[in-house]
């Protein structure tokens, strides 16, 4: 199941903050833009039904935890993006990203290091 953008924003909060109630997630979402509590509640209930979240009902306020790993979702999202938007070519994605944003020196050093770790058959060592 590919999470929607709203679901991804909720997953990102839970990956960063750890298990949380709907109210806690909603408060964090409201730092970026005003979102109603019932909107967050409904999305998180649907995410639980889809198997994206685990819900602990032992306490009065239910606690939600991601049921999927962050790296797995990132890998799938990037793979979908490369295949649908960049003709299956990773280089096009990288060129677009580097041309659209201004990476810091540290980010450029990290990219260079990653590229230097690729061997002849394009696999990371």
């Amino acid at each position: 199941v590919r999470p929607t953008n709203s679901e991804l924003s909720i997953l990102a909060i839970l990956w960063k903050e750890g298990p949380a109630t709907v109210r806690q997630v909603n408060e964090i979402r409201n730092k970026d833009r005003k979102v109603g509590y019932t909107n967050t509640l409904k999305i998180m209930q649907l995410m639980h039904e889809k198997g994206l979240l685990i819900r602990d009902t032992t306490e009065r306020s239910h606690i939600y935890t991601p049921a999927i790993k962050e790296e797995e979702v990132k890998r799938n999202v990037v793979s979908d993006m490369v295949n649908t938007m960049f003709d299956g070519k990773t280089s096009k994605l990288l060129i677009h990203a580097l041309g659209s944003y201004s990476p810091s020196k540290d980010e450029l050093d990290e990219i260079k290091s990653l590229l230097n770790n690729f061997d002849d058959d394009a696999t990371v060592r």
Side-chain angles (χ1 to χ4, degrees):
V1 175
R2 169 131 171 28
T4 65
N5 288 342
S6 293
E7 291 169 344
L8 284 172
S9 72
I10 289 170
L11 284 168
I13 291 167
L14 293 172
W15 287 323
K16 182 179 179 189
E17 303 295 329
T21 65
V22 173
R23 185 158 313 284
Q24 291 167 325
V25 170
N26 192 66
E27 286 173 7
I28 294 169
R29 289 181 82 201
N30 276 313
K31 290 179 183 175
D32 293 331
R33 66 182 182 93
K34 186 72 177 153
V35 180
Y37 173 85
T38 55
N39 176 273
T40 301
L41 172 64
K42 185 65 177 170
I43 292 170
M44 291 177 73
Q45 288 172 334
L46 290 171
M47 291 173 72
H48 177 258
E49 290 173 17
K50 291 165 91 174
L52 297 172
L53 295 179
I54 298 166
R55 181 172 58 203
D56 178 354
T57 59
T58 58
E59 299 295 323
R60 185 175 183 280
S61 293
H62 297 174
I63 305 292
Y64 289 84
T65 306
I68 53 179
K69 294 186 183 334
E70 181 177 9
E71 286 307 313
E72 178 184 337
V73 173
K74 285 180 179 179
R75 189 172 31 257
N76 290 339
V77 168
V78 170
S79 178
D80 288 349
M81 189 183 317
V82 167
N83 289 326
T84 58
M85 301 294 297
F86 298 99
D87 302 323
K89 300 196 183 310
T90 308
S91 61
K92 286 186 175 185
L93 170 65
L94 291 173
I95 291 166
H96 181 78
L98 291 173
S100 299
Y101 301 96
S102 299
S104 68
K105 181 179 178 342
D106 288 343
E107 289 172 318
L108 287 173
D109 289 343
E110 187 177 350
I111 292 166
K112 288 175 189 175
S113 175
L114 178 65
L115 290 173
N116 288 332
N117 286 326
F118 275 90
D119 61 15
D120 291 336
D121 66 346
T123 57
V124 176
R125 292 183 200 170

